[in-house]
């Protein structure tokens, strides 16, 4: 793998993460616990979608094969997406959504922070922009995690359960492969080992404030970076790609 | 506007109770095009009319998120998905401004939402029609938001200040919504035969319900006169409907799709299009709850409300706990 190939793949992964989370969040429109929350969810989905489009566009530019952001989103198959498994998990209830947001965004924020100084200017510029958005998202979802954790007995139990349910997808966040390694060595990319330490420390503080317990490190699921997904993913893709697949070559 | 001039009854009851002098001074301010503000004296009937109209409008924005939300996960390109998400987000925002504007009249959002969920309050019946294909998203923007703008532009000059000011911002966003809808229709009508058929089918299904959005004909709209005198309403239902038809028919011609009305013709003498009879029975049926999606729309809203109860309770409990700790 050349360094440009690794960079392209890394950008695609960032795009996949952002797109799949945007897709999950957009399922939640018109079903929030408060109107303000519906507005926030749509707003967050829009931010991730905007980021996905920028990552894909930069990846397409580097690839130089004439593919577009829509080719990436709508014409790749299940095994070609390399998003984290955490992000494709179904929404379930509000507590699950918030835990998914906190687990991912507290990692993503650190990842973006490191990428602001990376060796590819295109990626660094996108990271700087995304970082501002994600900082706000994390503040919002962290506040909810605290309210739910330290709210009623019911909310505490529910969100603790969400944490247990989704914890098994958190190991993969730091489970880097050759692509991550090339990024780190040749593009001054994130060091996943140090990010993991910062992530754990931050999360421990947050969970303590929320009166929640950090789950024990159990068996961790993984496979996103290799395009090996959970069963939920095929349905997500089938729904998202349906029009492009039904009318090949059409413009919309 | 998605208010249709619905459930207009009992508006005269308050009037006789109000002092004649106050009423005359109030009307004089309206006639002088002054804005009425939240703390100003106003007749009860004026207040009730506005609460009803503004809350109906807010509910329509909120319920209107559903038929469009139905296509968010299936939008055919990332650009379209982003535009649709932004539009749905705008609608939630419009709902929020409008609930706030209505609250200045002495009601609460909780009460308004309860009235929506119980079926007591209405919302625009256009949102009780289903979005079956992607072209419906185009048709909603083009026709439904197009009709809404016809109604809403005059509301920017409504006599009640908070409503008028909310409408200025809403109208700017609605005009973007209308343009994106037309653009979807344009792409489809310039696309493959299947896409063009999709656009035609959407026009066939959305045309008549869009005309109904302006509410009953002037002869049957008994309370329009009072709303006109109060300058809540500036044009009659039929005037606005005619304006909509006059603007929209040439757009359909430009798209190369046919308006589903055999009686439609341009009258060169009047400069207006003449159109066929609206099926008012369908309008009143949908209004009475017998539309394709009435039940589904309210059930979804109710489910969101019920599913969110534990979250709202947690937020209250947290605020109370920490408010008490801070005070201690």
């Amino acid at each position: 793998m050349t360094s440009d190939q690794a960079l392209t793949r890394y950008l695609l992964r960032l795009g996949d993460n952002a797109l799949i989370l945007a897709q999950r969040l957009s399922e939640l429109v018109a079903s929030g616990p408060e109107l303000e929350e519906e507005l926030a969810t749509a707003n967050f989905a829009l931010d991730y979608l905007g980021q996905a489009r920028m990552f894909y566009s930069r990846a397409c530019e580097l690839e130089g094969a004439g593919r577009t952001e829509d080719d990436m989103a709508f014409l790749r198959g299940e095994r070609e997406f390399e998003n984290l498994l955490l992000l494709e998990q179904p929404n379930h209830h509000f507590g699950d959504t918030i835990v998914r947001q906190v687990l991912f965004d507290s990692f993503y924020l650190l990842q973006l922070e490191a990428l602001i100084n990376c060796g590819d200017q295109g990626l660094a510029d996108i990271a700087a922009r995304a970082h501002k958005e994600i900082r706000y998202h994390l503040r919002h979802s962290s506040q909810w995690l605290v309210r739910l954790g330290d709210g009623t007995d019911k909310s505490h139990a529910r969100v603790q359960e969400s944490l247990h349910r989704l914890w098994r997808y958190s190991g993969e966040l730091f489970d880097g492969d050759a692509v991550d390694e090339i990024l780190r060595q040749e593009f001054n990319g994130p060091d996943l080992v140090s990010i993991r330490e910062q992530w754990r420390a931050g999360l421990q503080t947050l969970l303590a404030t929320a009166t929640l317990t950090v789950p024990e490190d159990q068996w961790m699921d993984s496979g996103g970076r290799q395009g090996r997904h959970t069963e939920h993913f095929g349905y997500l893709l089938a729904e998202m790609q349906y029009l492009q697949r039904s009318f090949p070559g059409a413009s919309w | 506007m998605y208010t249709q001039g619905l459930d207009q009854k009992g508006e005269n009851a308050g009037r006789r109770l109000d002092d004649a002098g106050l009423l005359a001074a109030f009307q004089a301010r309206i006639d002088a095009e002054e804005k009425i503000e939240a703390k100003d004296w106003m007749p009860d009937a004026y207040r009730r009319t506005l609460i009803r109209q503004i809350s109906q409008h807010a509910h329509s924005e909120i319920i209107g998120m559903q038929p469009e939300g139905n296509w968010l996960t299936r939008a055919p390109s990332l650009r379209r998905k982003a535009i649709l998400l932004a539009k749905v987000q705008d609608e939630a925002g419009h709902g929020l401004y409008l609930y706030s504007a209505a609250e200045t009249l002495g009601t609460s959002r909780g009460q308004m939402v309860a009235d929506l969920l119980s079926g007591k309050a209405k919302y625009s019946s256009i949102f009780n029609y289903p979005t079956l294909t992607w072209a419906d998203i185009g048709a909603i923007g083009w026709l439904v938001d197009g009709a809404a703008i016809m109604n809403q532009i005059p509301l920017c000059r409504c006599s009640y200040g908070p409503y008028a000011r909310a409408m200025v911002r809403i109208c700017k966003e609605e005009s973007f919504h209308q343009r994106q809808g037309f653009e979807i229709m344009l792409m489809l009508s310039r696309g493959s035969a299947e896409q063009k058929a999709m656009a035609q089918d959407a026009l066939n299904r959305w045309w008549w319900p869009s005309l109904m959005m302006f509410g009953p004909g002037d002869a049957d709209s008994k309370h329009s006169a009072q709303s006109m005198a109060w300058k809540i309403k500036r044009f009659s239902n039929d005037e606005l409907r005619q304006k909509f038809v006059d603007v929209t028919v040439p757009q359909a011609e430009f798209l190369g799709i046919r308006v589903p009305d055999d009686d439609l013709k341009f009258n060169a003498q009047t400069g207006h299009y003449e159109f066929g009879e609206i099926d008012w029975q369908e309008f009143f049926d949908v209004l009475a709850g017998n539309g394709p999606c009435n039940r589904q729309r309210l059930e979804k809203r109710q489910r969101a409300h019920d599913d969110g109860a534990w979250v709202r309770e947690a937020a209250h409990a947290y605020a109370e706990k920490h408010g008490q700790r801070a005070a201690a």
Side-chain angles (χ1 to χ4, degrees), chain A residues 151-220:
Chain A
T152 61
D153 290 347
K154 185 176 182 177
S155 69
H156 177 89
R158 277 201 174 179
V159 77
Q160 183 69 61
E161 193 192 311
S162 304
L163 204 51
H164 282 298
R165 185 160 42 233
L166 292 170
W167 191 251
R168 63 164 57 192
Y169 302 109
S170 68
E172 188 191 41
L173 303 173
F174 312 97
D175 201 3
D177 65 1
V179 174
D180 296 277
E181 198 47 34
I182 294 175
L183 248 288
R184 192 178 67 80
Q185 288 186 2
E186 297 184 29
F187 294 93
N188 189 29
D191 172 7
L192 288 174
V193 176
S194 90
I195 284 190
R196 182 180 184 165
E197 282 167 25
Q198 290 179 68
W199 179 84
R200 272 203 85 104
L203 198 63
Q204 265 163 355
T205 310
L206 176 64
L207 292 182
T209 312
T211 72
L212 294 166
T213 313
V214 183
E216 303 223 343
D217 277 333
Q218 48 179 313
W219 173 80
M220 292 287 181

Side-chain angles (χ1 to χ4, degrees), chain A residues 23 29 33-36 38-39 43 46 49 70 74 144 146 150-151 155 158 239-240 243-244 251-252, chain B residues 62 73-74 76-82 88-89 92-93 109 134 195 301 310-312 314 318 321-322:
Chain A
Q23 182 73 5
V29 160
E34 288 278 14
L35 192 47
E36 283 80 354
E38 291 184 17
L39 201 63
N43 195 359
L46 199 53
L49 185 56
D70 284 337
F74 299 105
W144 267 115
V146 172
D150 192 16
S155 69
R158 277 201 174 179
E239 186 174 342
M240 183 171 80
L243 271 174
Q244 288 267 355
S251 297
W252 303 93
Chain B
I62 300 306
T73 56
R74 294 178 291 168
S77 71
L78 296 183
R79 177 170 171 266
R80 291 283 171 220
K81 197 190 278 289
V88 171
Q89 187 191 346
R109 203 209 298 181
W134 172 250
Q195 286 175 301
R301 212 54 247 169
W310 70 279
V311 175
R312 294 189 299 274
Y318 178 82
K321 231 185 268 187
H322 289 269

Side-chain angles (χ1 to χ4, degrees), chain B residues 220-234:
Chain B
D220 300 313
S221 184
K222 296 187 280 283
H223 299 278
S224 285
Q226 180 61 79
S227 281
M228 300 264 263
W230 278 334
K231 297 191 176 169
I232 293 173
K233 196 174 172 125
R234 299 264 176 179

Side-chain angles (χ1 to χ4, degrees), chain A residues 3 10 71 84 91 102 140 168 182 220-222 225 239:
Chain A
S3 53
Y10 192 83
D71 293 334
L84 297 163
N91 294 315
V102 167
H140 181 89
R168 63 164 57 192
I182 294 175
M220 292 287 181
D221 203 352
S222 69
R225 279 182 181 80
E239 186 174 342

